[in-house]
Amino acid sequence: MSLQTPTHHDDGVHAAADALIPPDAIEVPPGASAELYNVDLAPTQRAGRRWSGYNIFTLWANDVHSLGNYGFAIGLFALGLGGWQILVALVLGGLFLFVLLSLSGFMGEKTGVPFPVMSRISFGIRGAQIPAVIRGGVAIAWFGIQTYLASVVLRVMLVAMFGGLAGLDKNDVLGLSTLGWLSFVGLWVIQVIIVSYGMEMVRKYEAFAGPVILVTMVALAVWMLGRADWSIAWTTPDSLTGGDMWLKIVGGASLWVAIYGTFVLNFCDFTRNAVSKKSIIRGNFWGIPLNMLLFGGIVVVLAGGQYKINGTVIESVSDIVEAVPNTALLVLACLALLILTVAVNLMANFVAPIYALNNLFPKHLNFRRAALISAVIGLVILPWNLYNSPAVIDYFLGGLGALLGPLFGIIMADYWLVRRSRVDVPALYTDAPDGAYHYRAGFNLRAVGALIPTAAFALVMAFVPAFGAVSNFSWFIGAGLGALVYLLVADRQGPFADVSGEPIAVPSTH
């Protein structure tokens, strides 16, 4: 029986309709299992894919310029790196990321499948829940936290516009004021509405937000230059030199890659809709190394300009925004930061748990239902309390984050080095005992066996003070060890079939 789905969508209305399709309304193709296949997990058809190089570029235009990234890069200035050293660290990290994200992105473009399904290749049709749940768990927590941080900016903006609202910001209900709750829930609803229209609406929002934040940040840098009489401080009295400087530069580049440890795993969630490999290369090239050079220039101007003005090192972009003397300009800057934070949250912290939940309950969930469940979890965990708890951030989220390097190493080694990118896509959706990815009861014990010791070592590096000297390089060490151990135990005999998923594919704008 054939799939009862249209072969082409002409607009976002149809895309929204697809997001509403109940899972049991889609016929499961012959040989596939309803426990593994639904409209969101199915591979995407090549015809009609819409993610161009520009769309991929705008992903990075938003994510690279996130408030968290500015805080990290400005922190390098405070730790003793001068202007040109920060630029070198960021560009070096950008080049690493360009390679890693291109390798990860090509996987999505070839197969058309999201990350949880991609994980079935190396971990098995059941074992794939391990990397999917780890990635999704990290994302849900950070979705709530980032929404909370954006709500703080919204509160500042609302009080600046309507001074009378300040009275609503003085009480406490479960850790937030009345104005805090109104701001958080308002942004929560906006994000749920956007993502409920499916990946096509996410694509359109990212395309809109990218230019907005680029123009805003460049304008902020020019304004800072004007305040500093068009010159900046390139170094501080505490700036490092010699070997210590280069160690900090390389360490900063490595940490920059680690920040994207989540995204390099599930980049295929987006590139499964990419029109070609060339679009991925173009989007990544302009969006990663070149965009990071621009990002680094803005960081150096903001931090160096402020240091020249009063000898202090700022901690975040918010410090600069709060110094804007004109209320109208302050409001515009806050709006831009809100647009940015929503864009970053959608791509980095909302899409991943949607697919992870779909993978857990494919018979009962679709994109919209999974989005609502993810959002509700992100609300009920009261994320502001998580953010204000160093133990939760360091041990729970930090611990989960430490596992991302080994996972990446295992999945990449299996796909590129063992299988040489040969994938039987229809077999990813069958639970037949002789299926290529059934392994043993649905688990590839070789991959799980490689993950356990390398994950344990990654956790030791993350939390044991004796490893502090190499902690900056923990993601690379974890990824390298994961790949090495897996290659030692992997089944290299095959045969590894390369079968297209087109016969069971669905339109990409769902």
Side-chain angles (χ1 to χ4, degrees), residues 123-185:
F123 280 86
I125 57 173
R126 306 299 177 197
Q129 304 293 3
I130 298 171
V133 168
I134 290 174
R135 174 64 182 100
V138 173
I140 286 179
W142 280 111
F143 163 75
I145 290 171
Q146 291 290 348
T147 301
Y148 161 66
L149 293 177
S151 73
V152 174
V153 176
L154 180 57
R155 283 161 53 195
V156 171
M157 186 185 78
L158 290 174
V159 171
M161 294 173 64
F162 311 102
L165 293 177
L168 298 177
D169 204 24
K170 299 185 183 301
N171 61 332
D172 187 295
V173 181
L174 296 177
L176 281 186
S177 66
T178 300
L179 184 60
W181 272 103
L182 292 173
S183 300
F184 181 90
V185 173

Side-chain angles (χ1 to χ4, degrees), residues 437-498:
Y437 308 105
H438 190 271
Y439 298 110
R440 184 173 298 179
F443 290 83
N444 181 4
L445 298 182
R446 297 172 189 265
V448 176
L451 176 63
I452 291 173
T454 53
F457 186 73
L459 291 172
V460 169
M461 281 196 300
F463 298 125
V464 175
F467 287 88
V470 296
S471 60
N472 289 354
F473 308 97
S474 59
W475 187 91
F476 278 105
I477 295 172
L481 279 177
L484 179 61
V485 173
Y486 181 74
L487 289 174
L488 291 175
V489 301
D491 176 10
R492 298 170 173 269
Q493 301 305 311
F496 303 120
D498 195 26

